[in-house]
Amino acid sequence: MTEIKIGDKQKYLLENYPFAEPLKLTDKKKCIHCGEIITVGDFKVFKDAFGDEYICCPNAPDCDGTVIDWIPVGE
Ligand SMILES: [Zn+2]
């Protein structure tokens, strides 16, 4: 997996977020893989060997969580 730099993170999120309700860069989420509260705008993007891009936990590559592993804070 290769990290790619995103210039406009809000635009990237709008275009690539897999769920209907858009995230804001200032939203806080809990990553269930590393257990940490993360700020959405700190997300990293990694591209795999097939060219697919993944919105990953700010703690990547130490954490293998992606955007689908983020839950509302407090749950
Ligand atoms: Zn994580």
Side-chain angles (χ1 to χ4, degrees):
M1 300 274 267
T2 308
E3 184 174 2
I4 53 177
K5 295 293 177 196
I6 304 301
D8 187 337
K9 285 188 150 181
Q10 185 68 74
K11 181 166 176 279
Y12 187 90
L13 260 191
L14 286 171
E15 292 173 350
N16 295 282
Y17 186 57
F19 304 115
E21 190 179 318
L23 280 177
K24 292 198 292 288
L25 296 182
T26 52
D27 285 347
K28 301 279 189 188
K29 293 282 188 180
K30 182 176 182 180
C31 172
I32 58 175
H33 278 227
C34 62
E36 291 192 18
I37 308 298
I38 56 104
T39 301
V40 167
D42 292 335
F43 73 85
K44 294 180 178 178
V45 175
F46 286 86
K47 183 187 263 188
D48 70 12
F50 302 102
D52 291 323
E53 297 175 8
Y54 298 89
I55 299 171
C56 296
C57 178
N59 296 319
D62 293 332
C63 173
D64 64 357
T66 67
V67 67
I68 60 169
D69 302 307
W70 301 348
I71 62 172
V73 174
E75 286 187 14

